[in-house]
Amino acid sequence: PEQARKDLIAMGLQFDKNVFYQVTYKCDILPIDDFLIGGMEPGYGLLGASKGGCVQIVKKLVSKTKDKYYLAHALHATVDQEPQPQYTEIIKILLNAGVDPNISIENKQSYLTVAAERNNLEVVELLISGTDSETKPLCKLVPLIISLISLFFISALDNKLDV
């Protein structure tokens, strides 16, 4: 661990959770092993890599992250991004790692609510398919439901109704 920390200093990096977060957010894979060997909690990096859309780093860190808190927050950070393929891939990785898609965290919003607000149908379907088998048939209704909600709001705006 001591040598890994010296190697980080030689790269101009401090052994610090915020630095680890920033490194992973920027998708810089080179110093990650030194942070881990030095004893850094992998969850800090998982949060940064998830938010930064760094699929390769998420793959590396997800199996090393034992704390469910970090896994759940990584999923929330990813679902909250604008729809892009790398975020969808990260969501699949996190769901396969066992993150419960039914829980709510920040602002008491569920992952499903956040994805629907982003109008990200692919993620909505992923989250529903990752939930209880009783709700999986609803997956086919998601596009229709979102379309109906969108039409309602468009109609309300056109008619200048209060919603």
Side-chain angles (χ1 to χ4, degrees):
E2 190 62 36
Q3 183 58 48
R5 292 178 187 200
K6 287 179 183 178
D7 291 344
L8 287 169
I9 292 170
M11 288 184 247
L13 300 171
Q14 294 177 343
F15 184 76
D16 177 81
K17 66 182 181 181
N18 295 320
V19 173
F20 187 41
Y21 177 93
Q22 289 300 319
V23 163
T24 57
Y25 178 82
K26 294 175 183 174
C27 302
D28 185 0
I29 200 160
L30 183 64
I32 291 175
D33 285 334
D34 287 323
F35 276 105
L36 296 175
I37 292 167
M40 184 63 65
E41 164 59 52
Y44 295 127
L46 182 63
L47 291 172
S50 296
K51 194 163 188 167
C54 307
V55 177
Q56 185 179 3
I57 295 174
V58 169
K59 285 179 181 178
K60 183 176 185 79
L61 294 177
V62 74
S63 64
K64 298 177 185 325
T65 304
K66 304 299 179 209
D67 190 329
K68 299 283 186 198
Y69 167 88
Y70 292 110
L71 294 169
H73 278 276
L75 182 59
H76 187 274
T78 308
V79 168
D80 199 30
Q81 301 302 312
E82 290 297 324
Q84 293 180 25
Q86 70 268 27
Y87 294 116
T88 303
E89 181 64 25
I90 290 169
I91 290 166
K92 288 177 186 176
I93 293 166
L94 292 168
L95 290 173
N96 287 333
V99 179
D100 182 358
N102 294 308
I103 62 173
S104 301
I105 24 182
E106 303 192 10
N107 300 327
K108 305 209 187 282
Q109 288 186 312
S110 69
Y111 303 123
L112 192 58
T113 303
V114 174
E117 286 175 353
R118 291 272 186 202
N119 202 24
N120 193 339
L121 292 179
E122 186 175 4
V123 170
V124 168
E125 290 174 5
L126 268 174
L127 293 170
I128 289 175
S129 67
T131 60
D132 305 272
S133 58
E134 293 176 14
T135 60
K136 285 185 182 182
L138 293 175
C139 196
K140 294 180 172 104
L141 296 174
V142 169
L144 174 64
I145 293 168
I146 290 179
S147 295
L148 290 172
I149 291 169
S150 297
L151 286 172
F152 170 77
F153 281 109
I154 290 170
S155 175
L157 289 173
D158 287 345
N159 294 317
K160 297 181 180 154
L161 298 175
D162 290 328
V163 284

